[in-house]
Amino acid sequence: MNRSLGACHLLRCLPEAKIADLDKRCRWRNFEADQVIINLDDESTDVYFISWGDVRVTVFSETGKTVIIHDLKTGDHFGEFAAIDGGRRSASIVALSRTTVACMPAELFRELLAEVPEMAQIVMKRMVGSIRTLVERVVEFSTLGVRNRIHAELLRLARAGRIVDGTGRISPPPTHAEIAARISTHREAVTRELKALERSDLLERTRGAYVVKDIAELARMVDDARAGRETS
């Protein structure tokens, strides 16, 4: 497994010598698929950098229901909220595959933010992006029906992937249960709506991906739903 911070997006502005020094000052840990890395409400404050693997950010309700927030991959980081404010962890992190992370002490992370303004800017932009996404999802939960929430989630996933000539590719494709966990519904509702989108030729299931064949049309459907207009 790779044990270098060189591939981590947040640290790319640092010189190689600084990266090498940070490699030695971090604690390295390996996790297997489905292993919990951080639990909701933990009091730990380390920041984790993914040098290899994939993880899922989730929240588990008291009844055991899982809500998926988003997924992270090689080069991403997590845990900065607790490092900055000293509060409890706001979500659980679970490894999706064999994963190697560097655990950076909160004090060291804060020192880097103070020393490297470019890093601080990246962290602030990421936090603002998270707030915008959360506000968007809260509004959707409050105002949209299930099928429209499915459309909105597909649009988010497609925009986060590769878009070519107005066509969006979601790869790897999430399972129906995963989409349901993202928008607080049940798998059967997702299955029905995805089949309806396939019949309308807006969505195609290929080997290894969902293909949204007209991003602009899907965006129009979501915008119409948010505005309270009927969608076809």
Side-chain angles (χ1 to χ4, degrees):
M1 290 292 181
N2 179 35
R3 289 201 167 193
S4 171
L5 291 163
C8 295
H9 309 314
L10 180 62
L11 305 177
R12 284 179 178 172
C13 58
L14 301 178
E16 290 185 10
K18 183 65 173 179
I19 294 288
D21 176 61
L22 292 174
D23 286 342
K24 298 174 183 177
R25 298 176 69 183
C26 289
R27 181 167 51 95
W28 292 85
R29 296 188 63 188
N30 296 320
F31 294 89
E32 299 298 323
D34 299 324
Q35 191 172 355
V36 176
I37 301 174
I38 290 176
N39 273 309
L40 174 68
D41 287 333
D42 275 358
E43 295 183 355
S44 61
T45 58
D46 286 350
V47 179
Y48 293 73
F49 293 85
I50 307 172
S51 68
W52 180 265
D54 306 88
V55 307
R56 173 160 290 164
V57 184
T58 62
V59 175
F60 300 98
S61 71
E62 292 183 358
T63 60
K65 186 175 182 179
T66 301
V67 178
I68 298 174
I69 307 302
H70 58 258
D71 295 341
L72 301 171
K73 57 187 177 181
T74 300
D76 291 331
H77 68 279
F78 57 91
E80 68 270 31
F81 289 9
I84 291 171
D85 71 0
R88 294 176 182 268
R89 298 295 188 180
S90 58
S92 296
I93 311 291
V94 180
L96 295 177
S97 61
R98 179 173 288 185
T99 299
T100 299
V101 298
C103 308
M104 180 181 291
E107 296 81 1
L108 176 56
F109 181 73
R110 292 195 298 268
E111 287 175 12
L112 284 172
L113 294 185
E115 294 172 5
V116 188
E118 186 176 345
M119 278 184 57
Q121 288 285 338
I122 293 171
V123 170
M124 285 191 292
K125 288 180 179 179
R126 172 186 162 110
M127 287 185 169
V128 170
S130 297
I131 292 169
R132 289 183 187 278
T133 299
L134 288 173
V135 169
E136 187 176 78
R137 294 179 79 165
V138 167
V139 172
E140 288 171 4
F141 287 140
S142 302
T143 63
L144 299 185
V146 169
R147 65 186 296 267
N148 297 126
R149 295 207 304 272
I150 294 170
H151 299 165
E153 187 61 30
L154 287 175
L155 183 62
R156 256 191 300 272
L157 292 172
R159 284 174 169 169
R162 184 164 58 93
I163 299 176
V164 178
D165 296 329
T167 297
R169 181 180 175 86
I170 303 171
S171 180
T175 66
H176 295 187
E178 288 171 347
I179 295 174
R182 290 175 183 272
I183 64 168
S184 190
T185 188
H186 50 85
R187 180 179 56 81
E188 292 77 12
V190 174
T191 300
R192 285 195 300 270
E193 187 55 30
L194 294 188
K195 287 181 177 178
L197 291 173
E198 289 177 17
R199 288 194 298 270
S200 66
D201 203 32
L202 186 58
L203 184 72
E204 181 181 0
R205 179 70 162 87
T206 65
R207 185 175 181 180
Y210 281 121
V211 178
V212 179
K213 302 174 78 171
D214 190 340
I215 288 285
E217 175 60 16
L218 184 60
R220 182 196 65 78
M221 292 167 63
V222 173
D223 288 342
D224 284 351
R226 286 172 176 161
R229 295 188 292 268
E230 292 293 327
T231 58
S232 58

